[in-house]
Amino acid sequence: MTQKIEKLSAIVDGEWDETSHTNQIIEDPILQQKWKSYHLTRDLLRNDMSSDVTFDVSSKIADALENELSIVAPKRSWQELPIVSAVIPMLKQSGQLAMVASVTAMVIFGYQTYNQPEVTQPFTTAPPVIGPQGGLAPVSLQQTRSIEQDRMQQLLEQRRQINALIEDHQRQLKFKQVPVQNSDKDEQAKP
């Protein structure tokens, strides 16, 4: 069969001159189809196609549809239900937001922990100071009292300033509420 197709191709190309093969082409329907398709391809390649060429593929499509297996619609699973299909994206998004919040909290916690100044313990890291009794020097309570007194004075000063601002505000409100008397009323009142 392949030799017949090769001879047919040679005849179409003009390379074969034997007339004995033309009878085989006329008698064989497969070779007739090949003859038509080869000439159509040649005309397309040479731009010799006429505009009135029609292709009838409806019979081939009808045959293919007859041999086609029928498709039965599959049953819906629980995942394809409308309620589930609406809830699943919301759960996915909530999970993603929870993951982002967790990572953000860990980053903030890690940053704060990493950037804290080192707390040194004075008794273990400080060199021993030998006092009059031969051990560490006692801690004075005088220093903490002076710090507390300074803080108390700052707090009292802030309260005084706030009270002065409140009093000034109240005076301005009273000043705005006093009605301004018109000069016309004063003239009418004097008969």
Side-chain angles (χ1 to χ4, degrees), residues 39 71 79 90 117 154 191:
H39 278 281
I71 298 174
Q79 296 170 340
M90 189 182 343
Q154 288 175 352

Side-chain angles (χ1 to χ4, degrees), residues 51-67:
S51 60
D52 61 345
V53 176
T54 58
F55 296 101
D56 185 21
V57 292
S58 61
S59 61
K60 290 182 181 180
I61 293 174
D63 290 341
L65 287 175
E66 272 185 27
N67 297 332

Side-chain angles (χ1 to χ4, degrees), residues 140-153:
S140 171
L141 297 176
Q142 296 280 335
Q143 293 175 342
T144 57
R145 287 185 188 160
S146 66
I147 292 173
E148 288 177 8
Q149 289 174 352
D150 289 341
R151 287 184 186 165
M152 188 62 101
Q153 288 175 356

Side-chain angles (χ1 to χ4, degrees), residues 5 13 30 32 67 72 76 85 94 145-146 182 190:
I5 294 174
D13 290 340
I30 295 174
Q32 288 177 2
N67 297 332
V72 178
R76 295 174 97 183
S85 63
S94 299
R145 287 185 188 160
S146 66
N182 291 335
K190 297 181 188 176

Side-chain angles (χ1 to χ4, degrees), residues 4-154:
K4 291 180 183 179
I5 294 174
E6 287 178 10
K7 288 179 184 177
L8 177 67
S9 176
I11 290 171
V12 171
D13 290 340
E15 298 173 0
W16 192 272
D17 291 334
E18 288 186 25
T19 57
S20 64
H21 192 64
T22 56
N23 292 334
Q24 290 177 353
I25 295 172
I26 294 171
E27 293 172 1
D28 191 3
I30 295 174
L31 290 177
Q32 288 177 2
Q33 285 298 107
K34 291 284 185 186
W35 176 267
K36 287 180 185 177
S37 66
Y38 285 165
H39 278 281
L40 182 63
T41 306
R42 182 192 65 187
D43 290 344
L44 284 171
L45 290 174
R46 292 181 182 173
N47 288 330
D48 290 339
M49 281 298 293
S50 63
S51 60
D52 61 345
V53 176
T54 58
F55 296 101
D56 185 21
V57 292
S58 61
S59 61
K60 290 182 181 180
I61 293 174
D63 290 341
L65 287 175
E66 272 185 27
N67 297 332
E68 187 76 23
L69 294 175
S70 60
I71 298 174
V72 178
K75 292 182 180 179
R76 295 174 97 183
S77 67
W78 65 272
Q79 296 170 340
E80 295 172 353
L81 293 174
I83 295 172
V84 175
S85 63
V87 171
I88 287 178
M90 189 182 343
L91 290 176
K92 284 182 181 179
Q93 188 177 15
S94 299
Q96 290 171 348
L97 290 175
M99 182 64 72
V100 168
S102 303
V103 169
T104 303
M106 291 302 293
V107 167
I108 291 171
F109 178 73
Y111 180 77
Q112 288 177 347
T113 304
Y114 182 74
N115 287 333
Q116 278 186 343
E118 289 186 27
V119 178
T120 57
Q121 297 176 356
F123 296 111
T124 58
T125 59
V129 178
I130 300 175
Q133 289 125 2
L136 296 174
V139 177
S140 171
L141 297 176
Q142 296 280 335
Q143 293 175 342
T144 57
R145 287 185 188 160
S146 66
I147 292 173
E148 288 177 8
Q149 289 174 352
D150 289 341
R151 287 184 186 165
M152 188 62 101
Q153 288 175 356
Q154 288 175 352

